[in-house]
Amino acid sequence: MEPADSPASTHDALLGLRGSITARVGLIAFALILPFSVYHVTSGRYSLAAVDLLAAVLFGGNAWSLMARGRPLVPYIVLATSILAAVVASVHFIGAPPLYWAFPASMYFYMVLPRRQAHLFCLLLVAGSALIGYFQFGGPTSLRFVGSAGLMLVLLNVVLGVIGELQQQLVTQSVTDPLTGAFNRRDLQAALQRLTSAKAPRRAVLLLFDIDHFKAVNDRHGHAVGDQVLRDVVALAQSCVRGTDRLFRVGGEEFVLVLDGITVDAAMHVAEELRQRIEQAPLLDDQPVTVSLGVSPLVAGFDPDRWLHSADSAMYEAKREGRNCVRVAL
């Protein structure tokens, strides 16, 4: 399971850091590129000086805008395009030395662009520079450049892949219960806040359930067996719901299902199916395991706490009426 809207869920490990990276690199790039523009003017290469000056201005302007206003002055793809043009033009006008700029440029593409766009820009950069270089200074140098650039891109993608995997692990650990794999209470608050604060009315239902007499299970069979019962109940709950529904562990043996885009009648059907599956499953050798369930639809004016309290009240009504049943909030 993966929390919605998380950076890792987009498979872009640097998504949340893009603005900070662009601002810092922009200042450095402005300071490094501007002198080259001046040098090209003194050398009579006015077209190349104009390209470098444009790149420096874009870098510096974006860095200022990100630090002052929190948003870029121009889209990142425009910056990437200016860098691509500057490097390829430099190879055309100067020869082999500007090839060195292709390496930091490629890294920059991966820092500020989505992965697929970065692939495309690096391909254009390497292919364009190598093709021009082939006619400028011969095949051997171009081939060495392509080989070294290709190896760098492979290594860069390996590093970004590892960063993405580590980031996903951290995100998963921060929002999931380590015992059962269900989402935890911290992530539940975020999910409920998104639903209750939506401008348009949402059709959603909370299904809160608690394992009946769970303390007796632990006392009689031991905590290892109790932990396995919790994992089995989570597996059964996940088998009853849609892929868009989310299951949270909010207490020792208490769970919440968030059912988005569903009617109360449909949610009651889900709750009853879950109740029956758990009761009929051979989770313990000597007794059935049962749950009590409370169902609460989202009502206009509910905040997360009030919505949870409504579902909790319905669940305790099920407890008072003998357990192993479903009750809906009135």
Side-chain angles (χ1 to χ4, degrees):
M1 294 182 295
E2 185 173 293
D5 305 325
S6 70
S9 70
T10 66
H11 304 289
D12 187 347
L14 302 180
L15 178 61
L17 303 173
R18 190 152 291 151
S20 175
I21 292 172
T22 306
R24 295 176 185 181
V25 174
L27 289 176
I28 297 172
F30 175 80
L32 289 176
I33 296 176
L34 190 60
F36 281 92
S37 179
V38 175
Y39 170 72
H40 292 317
V41 170
T42 60
S43 302
R45 293 187 287 262
Y46 301 111
S47 297
L48 191 54
V51 172
D52 283 355
L53 179 61
L54 175 61
V57 170
L58 289 175
F59 273 119
N62 253 26
W64 168 83
S65 181
L66 285 164
M67 290 186 295
R69 302 186 298 174
R71 61 180 184 273
L73 187 66
V74 295
Y76 296 134
I77 196 168
V78 174
L79 280 175
T81 302
S82 69
I83 294 172
L84 174 62
V87 173
V88 174
S90 296
V91 174
H92 173 72
F93 286 109
I94 299 177
L99 289 177
Y100 294 112
W101 287 100
F103 297 99
S106 298
M107 295 184 67
Y108 184 78
F109 293 156
Y110 281 101
M111 289 180 180
V112 302
L113 297 176
R115 187 71 67 88
R116 290 184 179 180
Q117 289 184 11
H119 290 332
L120 176 61
F121 270 74
C122 286
L123 177 63
L124 292 174
L125 176 64
V126 173
S129 299
L131 182 62
I132 292 175
Y134 178 81
F135 295 103
Q136 290 284 84
F137 40 79
T141 300
S142 293
L143 287 176
R144 284 193 290 269
F145 166 70
V146 170
S148 59
L151 179 59
M152 184 207 66
L153 293 178
V154 170
L155 294 174
L156 183 58
N157 275 275
V158 169
V159 170
L160 289 175
V162 172
I163 292 174
E165 291 176 3
L166 292 174
Q167 186 183 51
Q168 180 57 54
Q169 291 176 15
L170 290 174
V171 170
T172 299
Q173 291 172 7
S174 70
V175 299
T176 57
D177 169 49
L179 175 64
T180 64
F183 292 107
N184 59 25
R185 193 179 192 105
R186 172 185 175 185
D187 198 46
L188 173 63
Q189 290 297 321
L192 297 186
Q193 187 63 43
R194 284 194 295 269
L195 290 172
T196 56
S197 63
K199 294 182 179 179
R202 296 293 292 266
R203 189 170 63 179
V205 178
L206 282 190
L207 195 162
L208 192 150
F209 63 95
D210 182 273
I211 301 176
D212 297 326
H213 303 296
F214 186 70
K215 183 177 183 301
V217 173
N218 278 331
D219 291 343
R220 183 171 182 178
H221 299 278
H223 288 280
V225 172
D227 289 348
Q228 186 58 50
V229 168
L230 291 172
R231 287 190 287 265
D232 291 340
V233 166
V234 166
L236 287 167
Q238 290 172 338
S239 71
C240 292
V241 297
R242 306 162 300 174
T244 55
D245 300 327
R246 303 180 70 195
L247 175 65
F248 302 83
R249 185 184 180 193
V250 295
E253 65 272 17
E254 192 171 273
F255 299 87
V256 171
L257 269 170
V258 178
L259 310 177
D260 193 11
I262 194 171
T263 64
V264 176
D265 289 341
M268 290 290 290
H269 176 76
V270 172
E272 182 59 28
E273 180 184 1
L274 174 58
R275 186 195 67 78
Q276 292 180 17
R277 285 197 186 187
I278 293 175
E279 182 182 23
Q280 295 167 6
L283 303 184
L284 293 174
D285 294 334
D286 57 348
Q287 66 182 82
V289 173
T290 64
V291 293
S292 300
L293 305 100
V295 175
S296 175
L298 176 59
V299 176
F302 270 9
D303 60 19
D305 291 339
R306 187 175 176 187
W307 195 11
L308 270 175
H309 177 73
S310 175
D312 193 57
S313 297
M315 188 268 290
Y316 276 101
E317 181 66 22
K319 292 280 190 185
R320 286 191 293 269
E321 295 189 14
R323 296 181 170 83
N324 191 26
C325 61
V326 181
R327 292 294 179 266
V328 63
L330 301 178

